[in-house]
């Protein structure tokens, strides 16, 4: 039996893109690495530490680019994910 990896198409909302554009090169590389892993392996990839949150508009997911850097997203259609915004603490 052969298991085929599913690839995801990432779409960046204007807010997320603006946040990415304002990051230092080091921080941007951490997010880029996480996004590549996310697109190639999906949200179930263990090192991304993905969690689901419920809010009044539905649900939003978060995944980690590092211990202090997270990004928030939701599914838009089959194999497409929109990155809504970034957060660090």
């Amino acid at each position: 039996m052969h298991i085929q990896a599913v690839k995801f198409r990432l779409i960046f909302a204007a807010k997320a893109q603006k946040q990415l554009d304002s990051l230092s090169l080091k921080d941007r590389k951490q997010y880029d690495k996480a996004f590549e892993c996310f697109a190639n392996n999906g949200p179930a990839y263990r090192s991304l530490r993905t969690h689901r949150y419920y809010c009044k508009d539905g649900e939003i997911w978060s995944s980690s680019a590092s211990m202090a850097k997270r990004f928030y997203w939701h599914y838009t259609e089959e194999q497409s994910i929109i990155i809504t915004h970034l957060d660090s603490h």
Side-chain angles (χ1 to χ4, degrees):
M1 183 171 143
H2 182 281
I3 298 174
Q4 184 179 0
V6 175
K7 294 196 178 220
F8 290 86
R9 182 172 65 110
L10 302 183
I11 303 164
F12 294 89
K15 180 179 180 177
Q17 189 61 59
K18 185 176 180 180
Q19 289 175 304
L20 284 169
D21 292 343
S22 69
L23 293 174
S24 69
L25 184 59
K26 180 183 174 187
D27 289 340
R28 178 63 189 249
K29 283 183 178 181
Q30 286 182 301
Y31 277 105
D32 287 345
K33 185 176 179 181
F35 293 142
E36 181 181 352
C37 181
F38 191 62
N40 290 330
N41 301 293
Y45 191 70
R46 288 182 53 101
S47 70
L48 292 172
R49 296 183 313 280
T50 298
H51 302 282
R52 177 174 45 186
Y53 300 96
Y54 294 99
C55 56
K56 66 180 179 180
D57 298 330
E59 61 186 26
I60 190 161
W61 296 77
S62 74
S63 296
S64 297
S66 73
M67 288 297 286
K69 295 174 179 64
R70 302 191 68 72
F71 56 96
Y72 296 85
W73 55 273
H74 60 85
Y75 295 101
T76 58
E77 55 189 57
E78 187 174 328
Q79 294 178 303
S80 292
I81 292 173
I82 187 162
I83 310 295
T84 59
H85 62 286
L86 314 176
D87 184 26
S88 63
H89 52 284

